[in-house]
Amino acid sequence: MYHLECIECRRKYRANEVIYTCTCGGLLDIVYDYSKIHITANDLKAPLSVWKYRALLPVSREPVSLKEGGTPLYRVDRVAESVGLKKVYVKHEGMNPTGSFKDRGMTVGVTKALELGMRTVACASTGNTSASLAVYGARAGIPAVVLLPSGKVALGKLAQALMHGAKVLSIKGNFDDALKLVRDLCDSEGFYLLNSVNPYRLEGQKTIAFEIADQLGWQAPDRIVLPVGNAGNITAIYKGFMELRHLGIIDSVPKMTGIQAEGASPVVRAIKNNEPAITPEEKPETVATAIRIGNPVNAIKALTAIRESGGTAETVSDAEIIQAQHELASLEGIGVEPASASSIAGLRKLVRMGVVEKDETVVCVTTGHLLKDSEHVLAVCPKPIEIDATIEAVKKAVFSDKQ
Ligand SMILES: *Cc1c(COP(=O)(O)O)cnc(C)c1O
Ligand SMILES: [Zn+2]
């Protein structure tokens, strides 16, 4: 039904081979025999969830699941008005079991690990991947090892990885260093690597596209805007829409629009300079720690997704990210972490630049939950007003214009 295939040299590998990249160094993709998959919109009437679409997922055993996916698609008219558009939606991936979209990849990836007979799972992470791997490892009953960049992981994410029982290693280096180390560790120890270089993870994440189309009545929006770190998610969502079009379920594919922070923007530079590959950044820096990545592993796939779909890529400053985070939280009641808010910040900038047209229907993917990074929230919000325990003091404070 499916096999692994190198996106560079087209070499094929059997689906049960434990391999993450081609011998030529190229990234792998899961390729299906679509002539054997018969699925119509009518078959897809069950409630939303990742496993609703299992006909398009590359695993056969009982899934390791905590009911991931099925996240809300909110229409956000106040934000739309504020950025200058008519129809904007937010796909809030922070509503997954561990608070980020990584769960979609991990439910498939950890299920695959069991199917392949692997006994330990491992990843490098800016935080959310480690939280998700710790949780799904616990659910599967197998050990998880996670490598994190020391001092650069939001506290909520670290707390999850620790509480769910992963072996947590804090690396004196950045994410890119941690990824190099964990790849060596997996090769030498036979641990199963669950970073987004593993194509099975991206298969789980492509269900974001299935759900968006599903929630819009089997239509694709004109544009998807999302943060780009390691560039796996933009690749996965593009693939999901391409599959739906291939199967005749939708008839167009949205313009894939990737947003990066100014201090970590190799994909944006490659798009703007029309280069075939990215140039890695040595010292990526941004408040949005989930996209603080200088050498995105899936960059080649992401550049293709952006170019083939007629999309684009843009940078935003940390100040713009924080402003968008406040706006989404206070105007719409949607709490997201900084990386996620970059989608809204990027959309605003692209409308201002005239790149996004006024009548486009846009879906912003908010990738992680506000509570992941409460230290940052406390740093950028006003302090609570401390008062005496009297009704006079309460009234005075309620009607004061402080805060
Ligand atoms: C992982 C992550 C991203 C980046 O996704 P990539 O697939 O690495 O591009 C963005 N936002 C949040 C909250 C994440 O956890
Ligand atoms: Zn190859």
Side-chain angles (χ1 to χ4, degrees):
M1 283 290 270
Y2 55 87
H3 63 270
L4 295 159
E5 195 169 309
C6 173
I7 66 163
E8 304 288 347
C9 73
R10 292 290 153 197
R11 179 166 172 185
K12 294 183 170 68
Y13 297 88
R14 284 204 319 276
N16 59 0
E17 229 173 296
V18 177
I19 185 166
Y20 310 105
T21 48
C22 181
T23 48
C24 84
L27 294 168
L28 300 175
D29 188 17
I30 314 284
V31 176
Y32 296 80
D33 181 354
Y34 292 107
S35 70
K36 297 216 168 71
I37 299 173
H38 300 286
I39 188 169
T40 65
N42 221 18
D43 299 330
L44 295 168
K45 288 215 160 122
L48 289 178
S49 81
V50 166
W51 294 99
K52 166 177 179 174
Y53 313 99
R54 70 178 301 158
L56 289 162
L57 294 174
V59 283
S60 38
R61 93 192 283 291
E62 194 51 36
V64 177
S65 175
L66 288 155
K67 306 219 179 298
E68 44 294 315
T71 57
L73 183 74
Y74 300 121
R75 178 102 183 237
V76 289
D77 287 340
R78 290 190 203 96
V79 162
E81 195 189 335
S82 157
V83 302
L85 293 180
K86 293 194 200 82
K87 226 178 195 180
V88 179
Y89 294 87
V90 165
K91 177 70 170 162
H92 193 10
E93 286 296 297
M95 302 296 271
N96 274 294
T98 77
S100 87
F101 73 83
K102 299 300 196 300
D103 297 346
R104 294 181 187 268
M106 286 305 175
T107 182
V108 172
V110 172
T111 302
K112 195 70 199 179
L114 296 187
E115 203 166 275
L116 292 169
M118 306 303 281
R119 300 184 173 282
T120 300
V121 286
C123 71
S125 176
T126 60
N128 281 330
T129 301
S130 69
S132 193
L133 187 67
V135 165
Y136 284 85
R139 193 76 181 151
I142 56 172
V145 179
V146 306
L147 278 66
L148 304 173
S150 174
K152 292 291 182 181
V153 174
L155 222 49
K157 304 175 187 183
L158 181 60
Q160 286 177 299
L162 292 167
M163 179 54 104
H164 290 286
K167 174 150 270 181
V168 178
L169 310 178
S170 190
I171 305 295
K172 292 174 190 158
N174 63 25
F175 169 83
D176 304 294
D177 301 323
L179 182 57
K180 242 179 269 152
L181 288 167
V182 78
R183 289 180 79 158
D184 287 349
L185 180 74
C186 287
D187 284 344
S188 71
E189 303 308 311
F191 296 171
Y192 194 55
L193 178 66
L194 276 169
N195 279 100
S196 58
V197 66
N198 183 327
Y200 287 105
R201 250 196 58 194
L202 300 188
E203 292 301 300
Q205 291 170 210
K206 78 186 179 187
T207 60
I208 295 175
F210 299 165
E211 288 189 5
I212 290 171
D214 202 334
Q215 287 166 305
L216 293 174
W218 294 112
Q219 284 197 328
D222 297 313
R223 187 182 295 272
I224 300 284
V225 185
L226 75 161
V228 170
N230 240 334
N233 212 27
I234 191 167
T235 304
I237 296 174
Y238 177 61
K239 181 172 183 182
F241 282 113
M242 290 294 280
E243 285 188 333
L244 291 181
R245 191 175 66 175
H246 190 88
L247 294 164
I249 296 175
I250 58 172
D251 45 34
S252 65
V253 169
K255 297 181 170 73
M256 301 305 301
T257 303
I259 308 299
Q260 296 195 297
E262 281 173 359
S265 54
V267 171
V268 177
R269 262 187 293 118
I271 289 290
K272 296 212 165 179
N273 301 336
N274 208 11
E275 282 155 357
I278 60 141
T279 309
E281 274 174 34
E282 287 298 320
K283 291 194 162 52
E285 205 45 83
T286 168
V287 65
T289 49
I291 52 172
R292 187 173 168 273
I293 292 173
N295 188 12
V297 161
N298 289 296
I300 292 286
K301 285 181 172 178
L303 292 175
T304 303
I306 290 167
R307 287 176 176 142
E308 284 187 356
S309 69
T312 188
E314 192 49 74
T315 58
V316 289
S317 69
D318 281 1
E320 288 168 325
I321 289 173
I322 293 169
Q323 192 218 329
Q325 185 189 24
H326 271 298
E327 190 171 71
L328 208 45
S330 58
L331 287 184
E332 301 283 0
I334 301 171
V336 307
E337 65 166 286
S340 312
S342 70
S343 60
I344 300 288
L347 178 61
R348 175 187 299 285
K349 185 167 173 186
L350 289 167
V351 172
R352 207 191 311 127
M353 291 165 65
V355 174
V356 174
E357 288 170 34
K358 306 271 175 210
D359 57 355
E360 286 187 34
T361 299
V362 179
V363 174
C364 291
V365 181
T366 56
T367 43
H369 200 279
L370 175 74
L371 293 176
K372 288 283 191 173
D373 198 350
S374 44
E375 271 187 313
H376 152 81
V377 172
L378 292 174
V380 299
C381 287
K383 303 276 165 289
I385 307 167
E386 197 155 324
I387 54 167
D388 291 334
T390 65
I391 191 64
E392 292 75 26
V394 170
K395 283 184 188 164
K396 192 165 159 235
V398 165
F399 295 108
S400 90
D401 43 19
K402 269 222 252 116
Q403 208 180 66

